[in-house]
Amino acid sequence: MAKLVGVFAASHGPMIVRNWSTLSPGWQETITAAFTELGQRMRAARPDVLIEISPDHWVNFFIDNLPSICVGVGETHEGPPEPWLKDFPHRKIAGHPQLAGHIVKTALELDFEPSVSYRLALDHGFCIPLWKAGLEPLPAIVPIIFNDLEPPFPSVKRCYGWGEMLAEAVASFPGDLRVAVLATGGLSHSIGEPTMGEIDEAFDRACIGRFAAGDPLALIDFLNERLPSIGNGAAEIRNWVAAHGAAGGRGFELVDYLPVPTVIVGCGFAAWRLTPASPRRAAPARRRPSARPRRSA
Ligand SMILES: [Fe+2]
């Protein structure tokens, strides 16, 4: 049977790539260190297949056809379509139609109604974390697109349920597969609205605290209360909620949180616990860059 071997989250802020040359050396170092550590943890999990949860940024869908949640069931996907991602060149990316199809079947049996696509383009939301975390050669990817861009959004509670269902689908897949989940996006940011460029660091840290604590109901209540008044990009935290559900709501270890002004996103990186944490055991110390830039950098 398949086994869930890791659950992770990473920012996919496009300015990480587009504005890289304008970032201070300190920010470049800390962003690189966060992606590198996350990538090391993901490679250590040795996934054969990565279920990747990201929004679509108007590449596959628009307001004339905007699925709430869409599973990529194709043999291959392609991407990234953005020309500024030229250092992660456009290519065919292997899918895993057997696991993807099993996820869809499981979803329908459990009263979820996903859309499906046999031909998805994987934009920067999928590809920046794959690239920056150094995951090449890539595992097979099962992409799942959550609508985090344009209301009506799937509810926070439903996103958590999706994660629980994904874990169930992995556990019941009749094949010897190691499967990891990677949620991308968030944390706070604003796109195309008056608060564009602002990062709500207080919200982000409160949000991280609730993910880390591992209490799903408290997390859902917190997000239901706060998401409507945070920048529109924070809707992508729904993807993290699905990851939380896949991990059984056990909470996560924060790899890093980087409120990078030039990136205009509160960038978070995390790895969930898949076994209950021992309260007596402190988290291992992480190697950090010696000179962490301040927000004004
Ligand atoms: Fe995004």
Side-chain angles (χ1 to χ4, degrees):
M1 305 298 271
K3 182 179 182 186
L4 186 66
V5 294
V7 179
F8 307 93
S11 174
H12 66 229
M15 301 305 184
I16 290 171
V17 176
R18 299 189 71 159
N19 283 2
W20 185 257
S21 63
T22 68
L23 287 163
S24 70
W27 276 126
Q28 289 183 355
E29 183 183 355
T30 51
I31 293 170
T32 299
F35 273 118
T36 299
E37 180 170 341
L38 191 77
Q40 287 171 346
R41 293 187 186 212
M42 293 181 71
R43 286 197 304 279
R46 297 182 290 110
D48 303 304
V49 184
L50 183 63
I51 299 171
E52 197 174 7
I53 303 169
S54 173
D56 177 66
H57 300 83
W58 308 125
V59 167
N60 294 282
F61 305 115
F62 196 56
I63 53 175
D64 57 340
N65 177 19
L66 191 58
S68 183
I69 293 175
C70 179
V71 180
V73 297
E75 292 275 356
T76 59
H77 324 292
E78 61 174 84
E82 296 94 333
W84 44 267
L85 274 171
K86 61 184 184 313
D87 291 331
F88 185 81
H90 185 276
R91 80 280 299 271
K92 286 194 184 303
I93 298 172
H96 199 288
Q98 297 81 11
L99 178 62
H102 181 72
I103 288 170
V104 171
K105 178 172 176 285
T106 305
L108 292 169
E109 287 173 354
L110 294 175
D111 299 328
F112 293 78
E113 288 85 24
S115 299
V116 299
S117 173
Y118 287 83
R119 192 173 66 180
L120 283 180
L122 306 190
D123 68 16
H124 69 272
F126 290 94
C127 291
I128 285 180
L130 296 178
W131 171 31
K132 290 294 185 182
L135 296 185
E136 296 199 76
L138 299 177
I141 305 292
V142 173
I144 301 183
I145 289 174
F146 276 36
N147 170 30
D148 305 319
L149 258 69
E150 184 69 21
F153 300 125
S155 74
V156 176
K157 180 182 174 187
R158 189 64 164 172
C159 293
Y160 185 82
W162 253 89
E164 290 183 307
M165 184 275 294
L166 286 174
E168 194 166 332
V170 170
S172 61
F173 181 73
D176 185 20
L177 278 184
R178 298 176 64 83
V179 181
V181 172
L182 171 63
T184 86
L187 298 165
S188 69
H189 59 292
S190 295
I191 302 297
E193 55 185 2
T195 52
M196 186 160 173
E198 294 181 8
I199 297 171
D200 192 328
E201 193 170 336
F203 165 80
D204 285 345
R205 293 192 184 281
C207 188
I208 287 166
R210 280 158 177 83
F211 274 109
D215 181 342
L217 292 179
L219 174 70
I220 291 168
D221 286 347
F222 170 79
L223 290 174
N224 280 337
E225 179 186 344
R226 297 296 309 280
L227 277 183
S229 59
I230 303 297
N232 56 2
E236 294 178 345
I237 294 170
R238 284 172 171 77
N239 308 344
W240 290 48
V241 173
H244 202 59
R250 292 188 181 85
F252 68 30
E253 296 175 13
L254 183 68
V255 172
D256 213 342
Y257 169 67
L258 304 172
V260 191
T262 310
V263 176
I264 68 169
V265 176
C267 300
F269 305 84
W272 270 264
R273 293 187 290 270
L274 296 185
T275 54
S278 167
R280 291 171 179 263
R281 196 170 161 193
R286 290 182 291 112
R287 186 186 68 77
R288 300 190 61 89
S290 55
R292 181 186 179 87
R294 302 180 70 81
R295 276 205 69 172
S296 58

